[in-house]
Amino acid sequence: MRQIKFFKHAGSRIPLKFKVWLYFVLFTIVVFALLWLFQILFLEEFYERMRISTASKCMESIADSYNSGNEEEFYRKINTMSVDNDFCVEVLDKYGNQAKKNHVIGDCIIHEKFTNLRNFKDKIDESNNGIIKLRLKNPRSGYDMLLYGCTIGIKECDGYLLINAVLEPVGAAISIIKGQLMLITVILIVFAFVISLYLSKRIADPIHRITTSAEQLAKGDFNTKFDGRGYLEAKKLADTLTYAEKELSKVDTMQRDLIANVSHDLRTPLTMLKAYAEMIRDLSGDNPVKRNEHLEIIISETDRLALLVNDMLDLSKLESGKQKLTPSEFDIRGKLNEIIDRFEGLSEKNGYQIHFTPDEEKTVCCDPVKIEQVIYNLINNAINYTGKDKQVFVRQINQPDGVVVEVEDTGDGIEEEKIKLIFDKYYRSENHKREVVGTGLGLSIVKAVLKMHNYDYGVRSTIGKGSTFWFKISDVK
């Protein structure tokens, strides 16, 4: 097992450039090995098979031409095929006498002086199907010969067709091919080595450049340039890493903002807690009125700390997928009325007016606790950012395929380029009119809950007129 792991690690340390070059070289070696194998070792066998097949097909084709009754086509095929294929062709009448002779200059057993053509006629007559296929040796030249013969004529035998093909030894040809192939092999191997070196460098260079840039990115340099010139895949990789760099930069910025905001949100109430605890200890311990006043402030700041911690835990669970949905059926209009009633005390104390425009009763099926959290956070966000008139509008809009819930404020609105940042953690618009109540995580929780439900959501905003946050519950009865 240790050896296997070692080789795996060793293989992973081999540069891409060397691997590409090695693959090219191995490919070249395999190609030439196959070329030598089939060209040299099997050339003679391949030549004989092709010669036998050609002779057989030519005999059948010439015989078919005679049987078709077209004498001109018959003799044209004899002339053409004998010349094209280096065959000797002999046509005998039904008595075994020469009727038509046509052969190419060369070695031929049919027209040797010692050959008795009637012997071939007799062998054809004695065969079962009127066809003979013989392999003979020419006593004069010593070459192997193919001699094919058949009867011609449809109803009865009108004559005989003989075809002679020489199986010339290919040893000399192989020697010539070997020399030529050796020269070509040397040239192409050198050429392949040069090309493979060039291509391996061309392929590996973009990856090397991107890797170097990625190492800089890993060190925290978010201004790294990814150069993907060379080929499409490298460009796509560079573009993907550039996009990842931008996202990492945003995450880094958000992380810094998160730490700063959390530190501020924790430090302020902790400072208040300590200060008022010291005041109770040193000044108001014996004064019930002052003591109770200071204790109320301590309780209020403790509630803020608890709210911040709870929101952070809720968001962490939602984004990690640890929280699961528990859907059930409920009336959305009743739920909205219930939530708005909770803000009655805030409305009476600080002068906020929350207007609710309901639609007909509608039963929805989703997680009531989490949807309640979404609505509560949206209303709380509207209270923080509404205008001087302190008006907030909540609307229920029934649609055939769902229920849309809208929460509108009358604040300064949100700039177009900042709308996409609204749902980010700890993002706070600068357009609020008063001290913001909350942790800055409300809209992030809204986003996480609605994504879990797979519901559409968004915001419409007009500068100077306010913003409308909305979401659509698509699970309706």
Side-chain angles (χ1 to χ4, degrees):
M1 290 297 293
R2 290 182 179 177
Q3 288 182 343
I4 293 174
K5 289 182 179 179
F6 170 78
F7 284 119
K8 284 184 177 178
H9 292 310
S12 64
R13 291 196 296 267
I14 298 175
L16 175 64
K17 186 185 298 185
F18 177 76
K19 282 189 174 181
V20 173
W21 173 82
L22 183 61
Y23 293 151
F24 271 109
V25 170
L26 290 175
F27 175 76
T28 303
I29 292 172
V30 170
V31 168
F32 279 107
L34 292 174
L35 184 63
W36 275 81
L37 182 66
F38 287 101
Q39 281 288 82
I40 304 303
L41 296 182
F42 301 114
L43 178 60
E44 188 168 355
E45 182 180 349
F46 179 76
Y47 164 76
E48 287 191 9
R49 288 184 178 180
M50 289 298 297
R51 196 75 171 145
I52 291 169
S53 175
T54 303
S56 179
K57 289 178 181 178
C58 285
M59 181 184 70
E60 293 174 3
S61 178
I62 294 171
D64 289 342
S65 295
Y66 179 86
N67 294 336
S68 67
N70 189 337
E71 185 176 354
E72 183 179 349
E73 175 67 14
F74 172 63
Y75 287 115
R76 188 191 66 79
K77 274 201 173 182
I78 289 177
N79 291 328
T80 302
M81 290 188 172
S82 62
V83 172
D84 290 347
N85 298 286
D86 195 19
F87 291 159
C88 281
V89 180
E90 180 69 69
V91 180
L92 308 178
D93 60 20
K94 62 182 178 179
Y95 303 108
N97 300 317
Q98 290 182 342
K100 173 70 178 177
K101 177 172 69 172
N102 211 316
H103 70 90
V104 177
I105 297 174
D107 196 16
C108 174
I109 198 170
I110 296 176
H111 302 105
E112 290 286 1
K113 294 180 180 180
F114 55 79
T115 300
N116 185 351
L117 295 178
R118 292 189 179 184
N119 290 335
F120 298 131
K121 166 190 172 301
D122 295 339
K123 288 184 179 181
I124 295 173
D125 291 336
E126 293 170 0
S127 64
N128 295 328
N129 56 358
I131 296 174
I132 60 170
K133 295 182 179 180
L134 305 176
R135 181 163 180 161
L136 308 172
K137 186 177 288 293
N138 192 328
R140 183 177 60 84
S141 64
Y143 288 169
D144 285 340
M145 299 285 182
L146 293 175
L147 193 141
Y148 284 13
C150 68
T151 58
I152 52 177
I154 300 176
K155 294 183 179 180
E156 59 182 19
C157 177
D158 294 335
Y160 302 89
L161 174 67
L162 299 177
I163 290 180
N164 176 89
V166 182
L167 289 177
E168 298 180 9
V170 293
I174 291 176
S175 298
I176 295 172
I177 292 173
K178 278 184 179 179
Q180 186 182 43
L181 194 58
M182 180 65 72
L183 180 62
I184 293 172
T185 300
V186 172
I187 294 173
L188 288 183
I189 285 179
V190 173
F191 185 70
F193 268 70
V194 174
I195 291 295
S196 62
L197 285 173
Y198 169 76
L199 289 178
S200 62
K201 185 177 185 301
R202 186 72 181 270
I203 293 172
D205 279 356
I207 303 298
H208 177 71
R209 291 196 302 267
I210 292 172
T211 302
T212 302
S213 299
E215 290 172 352
Q216 295 300 317
L217 175 61
K219 294 176 182 178
D221 182 2
F222 296 113
N223 295 317
T224 304
K225 301 297 181 183
F226 289 94
D227 184 2
R229 292 173 301 165
Y231 45 90
L232 180 61
E233 289 76 8
K235 185 179 183 305
K236 285 184 177 180
L237 177 59
D239 292 343
T240 302
L241 287 173
T242 300
Y243 174 75
E245 180 183 48
K246 292 179 181 178
E247 293 300 309
L248 286 172
S249 179
K250 286 172 58 178
V251 170
D252 183 68
T253 303
M254 289 171 58
Q255 184 181 22
R256 295 176 190 274
D257 292 343
L258 174 65
I259 294 172
N261 283 309
V262 170
S263 299
H264 177 270
D265 286 347
L266 289 174
R267 183 173 55 194
T268 301
L270 286 173
T271 302
M272 297 282 285
L273 287 172
K274 181 180 179 182
Y276 281 95
E278 289 176 346
M279 289 175 67
I280 293 173
R281 183 192 65 190
D282 298 334
L283 301 175
S284 60
D286 298 328
N287 187 336
V289 176
K290 287 290 184 181
R291 183 176 68 235
N292 289 337
E293 181 182 338
H294 294 163
L295 287 172
E296 284 297 327
I297 294 174
I298 289 175
I299 292 171
S300 176
E301 293 301 319
T302 304
D303 289 340
R304 284 186 62 187
L305 280 174
L307 179 63
L308 174 62
V309 172
N310 288 335
D311 280 356
M312 291 177 67
L313 287 173
D314 287 345
L315 184 60
S316 175
K317 290 178 181 178
L318 288 168
E319 291 185 338
S320 65
K322 291 181 179 179
Q323 280 199 358
K324 303 299 181 182
L325 296 177
T326 308
S328 62
E329 296 182 6
F330 61 93
D331 175 29
I332 186 62
R333 189 174 76 173
K335 178 64 70 177
L336 286 167
N337 273 316
E338 177 187 331
I339 295 170
I340 292 170
D341 287 343
R342 296 181 195 169
F343 287 90
E344 185 177 348
L346 182 64
S347 300
E348 292 177 355
K349 180 180 179 181
N350 297 321
Y352 292 100
Q353 292 184 350
I354 303 176
H355 306 277
F356 178 42
T357 305
D359 206 329
E360 296 179 359
E361 290 186 359
K362 195 75 170 180
T363 301
V364 298
C365 183
C366 51
D367 191 317
V369 175
K370 291 184 173 57
I371 291 299
E372 180 179 319
Q373 190 177 20
V374 167
I375 298 169
Y376 182 88
N377 285 342
L378 290 179
I379 295 175
N380 190 67
N381 179 75
I383 289 172
N384 285 332
Y385 291 96
T386 195
K388 293 180 180 180
D389 57 3
K390 297 187 177 181
Q391 304 293 312
V392 174
F393 301 89
V394 180
R395 288 183 285 272
Q396 171 198 349
I397 305 170
N398 292 348
Q399 295 181 351
D401 58 343
V403 178
V404 175
V405 177
E406 293 183 349
V407 180
E408 179 183 359
D409 63 59
T410 59
D412 291 341
I414 309 167
E415 297 175 3
E416 184 68 27
E417 63 272 12
K418 293 183 179 179
I419 285 181
K420 60 184 180 181
L421 304 175
I422 287 298
F423 293 97
D424 289 345
K425 299 184 189 74
Y426 273 103
Y427 178 81
R428 283 174 173 167
S429 173
E430 299 173 356
N431 296 332
H432 54 83
K433 298 293 186 181
R434 61 198 61 81
E435 183 181 356
V436 176
V437 179
T439 62
L441 296 174
L443 292 181
S444 296
I445 293 173
V446 167
K447 174 183 176 181
V449 170
L450 294 177
K451 286 183 71 175
M452 283 183 68
H453 282 83
N454 199 27
Y455 290 164
D456 292 333
Y457 64 94
V459 57
R460 303 187 301 272
S461 185
T462 304
I463 298 297
K465 294 185 177 180
S467 305
T468 301
F469 288 81
W470 63 271
F471 68 93
K472 182 176 181 180
I473 301 175
S474 55
D475 301 310
V476 295
K477 296 294 182 180

